[in-house]
Amino acid sequence: MIAFVLLIFTVALIYFVAVKPYKYWSNRRVKTGKFVPIFGNNAGVVLGTESFADTTRRIYNEVQDVRYYGVYQFQLPSLVLKSPELIKQICVKDFDHFLNHKNALGGDVDELWSKNLFTLKGQSWKDMRSILSPSFTSSKMKAMFTYICQNADLFAKHFIKMKGDVIEVEFKDAFTRYTNDVIASTAFGINKFVFSLNLFCPAIANFLGLSPFGKELRSFFVNLVKDTIKLREENNIRRADMLGLLMEARKGTQIEETTEETIEVNFAAVEEHLEERNTKRELSELDIASQVFIFFLGGFESVSNAMCFMAHELAVNVDVQMKLIQEIDENRNEDGVLSYETIANLAYLDMVVSESLRKWPVAVFTDRMVTKPYTIKPELPDEMPLSLEVGDQVIVPIIGLHYDTKYFENPEKFIPERFSPENRKNINPYTYLPFGVGPRNCIGSRFALLEIKAVFFHILSHFEIVPVEKTNIPLQISEKSFNFTSVNGFPLGLKRRQKRI
């Protein structure tokens, strides 16, 4: 009798854990690709046999001739959007039905994380975005460019002082040091298991009190921001850096903008969708610390990775690099000082950055959560109305779109000319999404692009980037790392250029 009860219990457990959850999409007549019970479509990622990028590309290509298809993140059903028109409809036109991101990293575990712009939800997100948006206009970036350029110049000079005609560099480490100060570059260590648990099972992470960021890090970072704010306020220090702009936003004032706008060649930069409006919400020191924290975190991983991939592409595409060096030489002052107007109008540099972000986007996918019930109306012959409920998740497979031959011919090749002025008009904006899409796109895209462009301008003014013995050609994407990175890092060489005559 006991054995029979155990058998019934086991069968029931298997059904409710490994069978029933995976009927969700078939019951709705939504096509799916291959998945593994318990793990869903993430088995390769969890087991370390497939990177997130490869998983996204694989499931994107598994299901053809559809506008959307179903996947499972463990037991969580998610709807992947393939149609650029549907992406525009959901992420822009009907955005009020899809306001939020998934509760990434168990948002309530850590206040420093839960208050940042990426994690905030609903009206709280709208208020914070409205407060922060004026701090990321092109004119504000122009004010901050001096600080970015100083770091880029020091970065190049560090290697100029070294001996040898070719200096071997691990670019991941080097660019991390460029994008962050020493504290940020050494403190932000993320445990992969805890990160994954927070990402896919936030309820369990909350119950166990597991935060991907240690208490010491949180306390240190919050106190650092508080102390810096206090120092600046007591000494009436105003700087047009990130913290300074946030302090001005807190007081309801803004550092003066220049009246003359600079025309930018910045194809990858995203536009602001929300209208500016006055809000009574005041930024606390924790609010400011949380925003600064997410910008540091983004710079630590996403932007430095983007730089690494671009450096590799230049090293293995010599013709592209030589053409870029020629443009830089033609626009470089004798004193080596780089102006905002110059960097904003380097057409070929922007083409190279845009193509690099196509092949190696900052995020391989983005998501939205349903905040109001929504129905996707049928358009294809085999479609039925698909009702989405509050809490359902939709995914935009950015890297899948970037490698779709319908939108980008020979997607594996590095071809900056795709983004030439005459070709840009042929690119559907909802197939090229390196910084996300719609009102919840990356607010710091202009800042990130300035960081990238400034450092390559200064590097290529003095060096060529060349492969070395340890360089992997072609690149092998790591299947063990949670982040989008290379198996053996990014070892490359800086070959001194002959002095210009």
Side-chain angles (χ1 to χ4, degrees), residues 47 290 303 472:
L47 300 175
S290 185
V303 180
N472 283 334

PDB file of all heavy atoms in Angstrom, residues 47 290 303 472:
ATOM      1  N   LEU A  47      23.829  24.163 -17.783  1.00  0.00           N
ATOM      2  CA  LEU A  47      24.835  23.097 -17.754  1.00  0.00           C
ATOM      3  C   LEU A  47      26.190  23.542 -18.292  1.00  0.00           C
ATOM      4  O   LEU A  47      27.147  22.773 -18.277  1.00  0.00           O
ATOM      5  CB  LEU A  47      24.336  21.881 -18.546  1.00  0.00           C
ATOM      6  CG  LEU A  47      23.033  21.248 -18.028  1.00  0.00           C
ATOM      7  CD1 LEU A  47      22.578  20.132 -18.956  1.00  0.00           C
ATOM      8  CD2 LEU A  47      23.217  20.724 -16.601  1.00  0.00           C
ATOM      9  N   SER A 290      21.667  54.263  -6.218  1.00  0.00           N
ATOM     10  CA  SER A 290      21.188  53.151  -7.032  1.00  0.00           C
ATOM     11  C   SER A 290      21.381  53.415  -8.517  1.00  0.00           C
ATOM     12  O   SER A 290      21.782  52.522  -9.273  1.00  0.00           O
ATOM     13  CB  SER A 290      19.701  52.907  -6.727  1.00  0.00           C
ATOM     14  OG  SER A 290      19.229  51.762  -7.398  1.00  0.00           O
ATOM     15  N   VAL A 303      29.728  47.770 -21.487  1.00  0.00           N
ATOM     16  CA  VAL A 303      30.471  48.681 -22.357  1.00  0.00           C
ATOM     17  C   VAL A 303      31.893  48.180 -22.579  1.00  0.00           C
ATOM     18  O   VAL A 303      32.419  48.235 -23.702  1.00  0.00           O
ATOM     19  CB  VAL A 303      30.485  50.107 -21.768  1.00  0.00           C
ATOM     20  CG1 VAL A 303      31.265  51.047 -22.678  1.00  0.00           C
ATOM     21  CG2 VAL A 303      29.061  50.623 -21.598  1.00  0.00           C
ATOM     22  N   ASN A 472      42.342  34.374 -30.334  1.00  0.00           N
ATOM     23  CA  ASN A 472      41.498  33.354 -30.964  1.00  0.00           C
ATOM     24  C   ASN A 472      40.885  33.912 -32.246  1.00  0.00           C
ATOM     25  O   ASN A 472      40.181  34.926 -32.207  1.00  0.00           O
ATOM     26  CB  ASN A 472      40.364  32.931 -30.026  1.00  0.00           C
ATOM     27  CG  ASN A 472      40.829  31.989 -28.932  1.00  0.00           C
ATOM     28  OD1 ASN A 472      41.802  31.284 -29.102  1.00  0.00           O
ATOM     29  ND2 ASN A 472      40.132  31.994 -27.821  1.00  0.00           N
TER      30      ASN A 472
END
